[in-house]
Every structure is written in C-alpha cells, then in structure tokens.
Amino acid sequence: MSKVFSAHAVSVDGYITGRDPGAGRGLGDAPMLFDWYFAGDTPSQVFDGFTLSAPSARVFDTHAGRVGAVVAGRNTYEDSDHFGGGSPHPRAPLFVLSHRPAPQISKTQTLVTTGIEDAIAAAREAAGGKDVGLMGGGVLASALAADLVDEVILHQVPVLLGGGRSFFRELPKHVHLRLLEAVPAPGVTHLRYEVAR
C-alpha cells in the first residue's frame, strides 16, 4: 500500500509561512523558506526550474519522485493562487480538502469536503501505487490525528521567523517519531521521520 507523507520547508521555530501570507503574497514575509530550491547548480529531475545543491537535489528528487497524488488544505490552496488551476506537483493530481466550497476548482483538481479520510482514500486511488503527499499544517494535523501519516519530512531552514502560520497544530495525543535520515545542505537541513506505531 502506498505511504502518506508530508514534506514542508519550516523555520527553526516551526513556521511554514511568515506574517501576512495569502493569495498573491505566498509565504508572506518569509520567502527565504524556499531559497534552498535555488541554492545550487544541480537541476531537479522532477521540478523544472529548481537548481538545488547536490545534497538537497538528492533528497528533494527522491521524495518528489514518490508522489502519485497530493492532498492540500484550503489555506495552502488559497495562498498558492489555486496552483494556477493545476497541481503543486508536475505529475500528480491535486485533492483540496475544505469544509466549504472552494472557488476556481479546475477540472484537474478535486474538492473533498467529507474529511481527511476520504481525501486520502481518493488520493491513494488516483496515485496508482505511488505515495500521497500532504501539503499544509491543517491537513497534516488532521491526518496525524486520524493515524494516517507514515512519514514527516522537515526541510528545516536556519531562520527564526517569530510569527506566521505555525506548522504543527494542536493534536489530540502525542505522536512519536523516529529519525530515519538527517542531511545537512546549504541553507537547509533535511530531516526525515517515521511515525512510530
């Protein structure tokens, strides 16, 4: 069965955006969370235009290559200008989880309003045996609470933002993680954890 994982750029103090994120403003005052995508001379084999450091390219392409479908939360969808009607991943369909209607859902995107379990089930079916990627702190918290997450990957950027949208939301119980890999790279440290069951 395919795995469910999240992979997010995050500040040392746990933010996935800066202050004032939103449509047309992306990460708000924290665009440096994505600087490592362009911090080297190794082109990504999955995402056109990304030129990463060699260690970051290895980590990024390995995980991006696993993705067969993406589940994103409504805030991520809105902040990313609806992904231009497509998906944040060049070869994976997008499922948008929202409890209210979402404007501008395109024919290549699927709105799921019945909860995280249904969103992940639909994404797994569409993924064709590949893994399901989660985008957004709310989606990750919901999936962790439902015990549906296998791995949490943090691309930790060495900055303290002091505000913004916090990555980890309140959970109903502790979630224990096991470190599988730690890769230092220019401008980022890649941390891959397995959810301990």
Side-chain angles (χ1 to χ4, degrees):
M1 179 179 271
S2 64
K3 290 188 174 184
V4 175
F5 74 99
S6 71
H8 288 80
V10 61
S11 68
V12 172
D13 54 348
Y15 292 100
I16 57 173
T17 75
R19 294 168 186 84
D20 199 30
R25 297 184 306 278
L27 298 175
D29 69 352
M32 77 287 294
L33 291 177
F34 288 163
D35 284 353
W36 62 275
Y37 288 164
F38 312 100
D41 56 8
T42 305
S44 169
Q45 300 302 302
V46 181
F47 279 72
D48 289 340
F50 286 16
T51 52
L52 305 106
S53 68
S56 286
R58 181 186 61 77
V59 170
F60 181 82
D61 283 350
T62 295
H63 300 304
R66 299 169 48 185
V67 176
V70 175
V71 177
R74 176 67 179 267
N75 285 337
T76 300
Y77 176 75
E78 297 290 347
D79 291 353
S80 301
D81 292 321
H82 313 130
F83 299 107
S87 172
H89 192 285
R91 296 187 286 272
L94 173 65
F95 294 81
V96 179
L97 180 64
S98 179
H99 296 294
R100 61 192 194 281
Q104 301 178 358
I105 289 287
S106 75
K107 293 178 184 176
T108 62
Q109 300 171 332
T110 302
L111 177 66
V112 180
T113 60
T114 53
I116 190 66
E117 293 89 347
D118 290 342
I120 288 177
R124 270 195 165 125
E125 186 173 330
K130 294 185 91 174
D131 292 342
V132 173
L134 304 177
M135 289 190 70
V139 162
L140 176 60
S142 296
L144 284 168
D147 198 29
L148 294 172
V149 180
D150 299 296
E151 292 180 15
V152 176
I153 299 166
L154 303 177
H155 304 295
Q156 191 178 64
V157 177
V159 62
L160 298 170
L161 294 177
R165 189 170 291 138
S166 180
F167 182 32
F168 292 102
R169 311 290 174 88
E170 188 170 326
L171 295 168
K173 61 184 179 183
H174 294 166
V175 176
H176 295 276
L177 305 173
R178 263 190 301 276
L179 182 64
L180 299 176
E181 182 180 37
V183 178
V188 64
T189 300
H190 306 284
L191 303 166
R192 182 167 67 102
Y193 296 94
E194 174 182 65
V195 175
R197 290 192 171 89

